[in-house]
Amino acid sequence: MEKLNLTKEWDKTFAKSDKVNHSKVTFHNRYGITLAADIYVPKNAEGKLPAIAVCGPFGAVKEQCAGLYAQTMAERGYLTIAFDPSFTGESGGQPRYMASPDINTEDFQAAVDFLSLNEMVDPEKIGIIGICGWGGMAINAAALDTRIKATVASTMYDMTRVNANGYFDSENTADARYAKKQALNQQRLADYENDSYALGGGVVDPLPEDAPFFVKDYYDYYKTDRGYHARSLNSNGGWNVTGCLSFMNQPILQYSNEIRSAVLVMHGEKAHSCYLSKDAYANMVKDNPWADNKELLIIPDAVHTDLYDGGGKDAIPFDKLAEFFGTYLK
């Protein structure tokens, strides 16, 4: 397996807690890619603990909001890991800055492998949290992995829908998709000829005065001291232009209404992306005999990135998360 060089210093976008022990770990997925993670363990913990794996947002790194979620849940008694997905952050995988609905779902399953075999963890009490684009991956993992007992999808994106249909489904036509696929396949040729992958660019900077609200929302997090990180794709050069090509015809939530384990979908009321969570929840419970343990939580006045770090108004309902995981990771 690939050997990683992991940062030793604390380089998170949030303060270090004195209630948990923090260290770096690695694990591998079934494609042989080595993943880097921060592990958070409650101080003075005894016995085998319930555990949670956290990842996201799409284009972020574990030093941003995934780590905040993981550390906060560790303060509440869970052993947690926040990991970088394949091809990004401190994790391995070549070429860099690619995304895959299959491999990135597998990353969550590999985290469950790691936690299940950790001597400090009760393997019957494992949950996951996916944020933004990894909210969709988390639901997909829950549909596939029967070892996952509880899943939280926070401020969720369905990346397959957004790539295929555009924001707000504004490009949901065969002609629009064909044009996008034409451009992406031409880019493949350019990348092959250049023997390198062109980057799509992260969050736009400087911010245009007429930028849509959701672009301003992302700028306020990724491009300011609030959430900027040197390894974050959204804070810097972004994904490869062709990085999300396969998302266009692979709907990841196809079998979400067969999930038997508990799922909490939570989203800000004023988030541009709220429609994605509402629709994902509706599809998940439709004709599902196991709908009683599914919940949609709409958080008043919150926008998309408020569920990244609280948005200065404690928007992340950590008490609710503790109650949810406390119920289903008994």
Side-chain angles (χ1 to χ4, degrees), residues 68-70 72-73 76 316-323:
L68 174 64
Y69 274 72
T72 305
M73 295 310 294
R76 293 168 180 262
I316 304 171
F318 282 116
D319 288 344
K320 174 64 178 180
L321 267 62
E323 175 190 347

PDB file of all heavy atoms in Angstrom, residues 68-70 72-73 76 316-323:
ATOM      1  N   LEU A  68     -14.457  19.024  12.340  1.00  0.00           N
ATOM      2  CA  LEU A  68     -15.258  19.666  13.378  1.00  0.00           C
ATOM      3  C   LEU A  68     -16.369  18.736  13.852  1.00  0.00           C
ATOM      4  O   LEU A  68     -16.591  18.576  15.063  1.00  0.00           O
ATOM      5  CB  LEU A  68     -15.855  20.968  12.848  1.00  0.00           C
ATOM      6  CG  LEU A  68     -16.847  21.679  13.776  1.00  0.00           C
ATOM      7  CD1 LEU A  68     -16.158  22.127  15.056  1.00  0.00           C
ATOM      8  CD2 LEU A  68     -17.507  22.850  13.058  1.00  0.00           C
ATOM      9  N   TYR A  69     -17.077  18.119  12.913  1.00  0.00           N
ATOM     10  CA  TYR A  69     -18.117  17.148  13.276  1.00  0.00           C
ATOM     11  C   TYR A  69     -17.515  15.996  14.082  1.00  0.00           C
ATOM     12  O   TYR A  69     -18.063  15.574  15.107  1.00  0.00           O
ATOM     13  CB  TYR A  69     -18.775  16.593  12.026  1.00  0.00           C
ATOM     14  CG  TYR A  69     -19.920  17.389  11.455  1.00  0.00           C
ATOM     15  CD1 TYR A  69     -19.719  18.607  10.804  1.00  0.00           C
ATOM     16  CD2 TYR A  69     -21.225  16.913  11.517  1.00  0.00           C
ATOM     17  CE1 TYR A  69     -20.766  19.320  10.245  1.00  0.00           C
ATOM     18  CE2 TYR A  69     -22.292  17.615  10.963  1.00  0.00           C
ATOM     19  CZ  TYR A  69     -22.051  18.822  10.335  1.00  0.00           C
ATOM     20  OH  TYR A  69     -23.104  19.528   9.782  1.00  0.00           O
ATOM     21  N   ALA A  70     -16.389  15.464  13.603  1.00  0.00           N
ATOM     22  CA  ALA A  70     -15.789  14.304  14.256  1.00  0.00           C
ATOM     23  C   ALA A  70     -15.333  14.645  15.675  1.00  0.00           C
ATOM     24  O   ALA A  70     -15.597  13.891  16.619  1.00  0.00           O
ATOM     25  CB  ALA A  70     -14.606  13.800  13.423  1.00  0.00           C
ATOM     26  N   THR A  72     -16.379  17.055  17.636  1.00  0.00           N
ATOM     27  CA  THR A  72     -17.519  17.366  18.498  1.00  0.00           C
ATOM     28  C   THR A  72     -18.253  16.104  18.927  1.00  0.00           C
ATOM     29  O   THR A  72     -18.669  15.978  20.089  1.00  0.00           O
ATOM     30  CB  THR A  72     -18.487  18.322  17.783  1.00  0.00           C
ATOM     31  OG1 THR A  72     -17.766  19.486  17.355  1.00  0.00           O
ATOM     32  CG2 THR A  72     -19.617  18.745  18.706  1.00  0.00           C
ATOM     33  N   MET A  73     -18.405  15.139  18.017  1.00  0.00           N
ATOM     34  CA  MET A  73     -19.062  13.893  18.398  1.00  0.00           C
ATOM     35  C   MET A  73     -18.173  13.059  19.322  1.00  0.00           C
ATOM     36  O   MET A  73     -18.676  12.325  20.180  1.00  0.00           O
ATOM     37  CB  MET A  73     -19.444  13.099  17.153  1.00  0.00           C
ATOM     38  CG  MET A  73     -20.501  13.774  16.276  1.00  0.00           C
ATOM     39  SD  MET A  73     -21.974  14.338  17.183  1.00  0.00           S
ATOM     40  CE  MET A  73     -22.656  12.763  17.716  1.00  0.00           C
ATOM     41  N   ARG A  76     -18.711  13.870  22.759  1.00  0.00           N
ATOM     42  CA  ARG A  76     -19.969  13.312  23.255  1.00  0.00           C
ATOM     43  C   ARG A  76     -19.907  11.799  23.428  1.00  0.00           C
ATOM     44  O   ARG A  76     -20.943  11.148  23.573  1.00  0.00           O
ATOM     45  CB  ARG A  76     -21.102  13.713  22.318  1.00  0.00           C
ATOM     46  CG  ARG A  76     -21.373  15.230  22.363  1.00  0.00           C
ATOM     47  CD  ARG A  76     -22.293  15.674  21.241  1.00  0.00           C
ATOM     48  NE  ARG A  76     -22.524  17.110  21.307  1.00  0.00           N
ATOM     49  CZ  ARG A  76     -23.596  17.686  21.867  1.00  0.00           C
ATOM     50  NH1 ARG A  76     -24.519  16.935  22.431  1.00  0.00           N
ATOM     51  NH2 ARG A  76     -23.727  18.997  21.876  1.00  0.00           N
ATOM     52  N   ILE A 316     -25.421  23.944  13.514  1.00  0.00           N
ATOM     53  CA  ILE A 316     -25.311  22.483  13.479  1.00  0.00           C
ATOM     54  C   ILE A 316     -25.969  21.911  14.739  1.00  0.00           C
ATOM     55  O   ILE A 316     -25.534  22.216  15.850  1.00  0.00           O
ATOM     56  CB  ILE A 316     -23.852  22.026  13.406  1.00  0.00           C
ATOM     57  CG1 ILE A 316     -23.149  22.650  12.195  1.00  0.00           C
ATOM     58  CG2 ILE A 316     -23.769  20.492  13.322  1.00  0.00           C
ATOM     59  CD1 ILE A 316     -21.647  22.414  12.159  1.00  0.00           C
ATOM     60  N   PRO A 317     -26.984  21.090  14.606  1.00  0.00           N
ATOM     61  CA  PRO A 317     -27.723  20.591  15.782  1.00  0.00           C
ATOM     62  C   PRO A 317     -27.035  19.380  16.415  1.00  0.00           C
ATOM     63  O   PRO A 317     -27.532  18.246  16.338  1.00  0.00           O
ATOM     64  CB  PRO A 317     -29.082  20.229  15.188  1.00  0.00           C
ATOM     65  CG  PRO A 317     -28.771  19.782  13.798  1.00  0.00           C
ATOM     66  CD  PRO A 317     -27.608  20.649  13.334  1.00  0.00           C
ATOM     67  N   PHE A 318     -25.912  19.627  17.068  1.00  0.00           N
ATOM     68  CA  PHE A 318     -25.146  18.514  17.627  1.00  0.00           C
ATOM     69  C   PHE A 318     -25.926  17.760  18.708  1.00  0.00           C
ATOM     70  O   PHE A 318     -25.743  16.556  18.871  1.00  0.00           O
ATOM     71  CB  PHE A 318     -23.799  19.000  18.166  1.00  0.00           C
ATOM     72  CG  PHE A 318     -22.780  19.250  17.092  1.00  0.00           C
ATOM     73  CD1 PHE A 318     -22.282  20.530  16.867  1.00  0.00           C
ATOM     74  CD2 PHE A 318     -22.316  18.215  16.295  1.00  0.00           C
ATOM     75  CE1 PHE A 318     -21.341  20.765  15.876  1.00  0.00           C
ATOM     76  CE2 PHE A 318     -21.379  18.436  15.296  1.00  0.00           C
ATOM     77  CZ  PHE A 318     -20.892  19.722  15.085  1.00  0.00           C
ATOM     78  N   ASP A 319     -26.801  18.444  19.429  1.00  0.00           N
ATOM     79  CA  ASP A 319     -27.643  17.734  20.401  1.00  0.00           C
ATOM     80  C   ASP A 319     -28.531  16.719  19.690  1.00  0.00           C
ATOM     81  O   ASP A 319     -28.724  15.601  20.179  1.00  0.00           O
ATOM     82  CB  ASP A 319     -28.508  18.720  21.196  1.00  0.00           C
ATOM     83  CG  ASP A 319     -27.712  19.529  22.199  1.00  0.00           C
ATOM     84  OD1 ASP A 319     -26.567  19.135  22.508  1.00  0.00           O
ATOM     85  OD2 ASP A 319     -28.234  20.560  22.672  1.00  0.00           O
ATOM     86  N   LYS A 320     -29.068  17.110  18.546  1.00  0.00           N
ATOM     87  CA  LYS A 320     -29.902  16.203  17.768  1.00  0.00           C
ATOM     88  C   LYS A 320     -29.091  15.021  17.253  1.00  0.00           C
ATOM     89  O   LYS A 320     -29.551  13.868  17.275  1.00  0.00           O
ATOM     90  CB  LYS A 320     -30.550  16.960  16.613  1.00  0.00           C
ATOM     91  CG  LYS A 320     -31.333  16.091  15.650  1.00  0.00           C
ATOM     92  CD  LYS A 320     -32.530  15.433  16.326  1.00  0.00           C
ATOM     93  CE  LYS A 320     -33.331  14.607  15.333  1.00  0.00           C
ATOM     94  NZ  LYS A 320     -34.505  13.965  15.980  1.00  0.00           N
ATOM     95  N   LEU A 321     -27.868  15.292  16.792  1.00  0.00           N
ATOM     96  CA  LEU A 321     -27.012  14.209  16.321  1.00  0.00           C
ATOM     97  C   LEU A 321     -26.697  13.232  17.448  1.00  0.00           C
ATOM     98  O   LEU A 321     -26.712  12.010  17.243  1.00  0.00           O
ATOM     99  CB  LEU A 321     -25.712  14.774  15.732  1.00  0.00           C
ATOM    100  CG  LEU A 321     -25.704  15.025  14.217  1.00  0.00           C
ATOM    101  CD1 LEU A 321     -26.753  16.052  13.824  1.00  0.00           C
ATOM    102  CD2 LEU A 321     -24.322  15.454  13.747  1.00  0.00           C
ATOM    103  N   ALA A 322     -26.414  13.774  18.632  1.00  0.00           N
ATOM    104  CA  ALA A 322     -26.129  12.909  19.776  1.00  0.00           C
ATOM    105  C   ALA A 322     -27.346  12.056  20.130  1.00  0.00           C
ATOM    106  O   ALA A 322     -27.215  10.860  20.443  1.00  0.00           O
ATOM    107  CB  ALA A 322     -25.703  13.752  20.971  1.00  0.00           C
ATOM    108  N   GLU A 323     -28.526  12.656  20.064  1.00  0.00           N
ATOM    109  CA  GLU A 323     -29.745  11.905  20.332  1.00  0.00           C
ATOM    110  C   GLU A 323     -29.973  10.818  19.287  1.00  0.00           C
ATOM    111  O   GLU A 323     -30.329   9.671  19.615  1.00  0.00           O
ATOM    112  CB  GLU A 323     -30.944  12.864  20.341  1.00  0.00           C
ATOM    113  CG  GLU A 323     -32.290  12.192  20.497  1.00  0.00           C
ATOM    114  CD  GLU A 323     -33.452  13.142  20.266  1.00  0.00           C
ATOM    115  OE1 GLU A 323     -33.238  14.377  20.229  1.00  0.00           O
ATOM    116  OE2 GLU A 323     -34.591  12.655  20.101  1.00  0.00           O
TER     117      GLU A 323
END
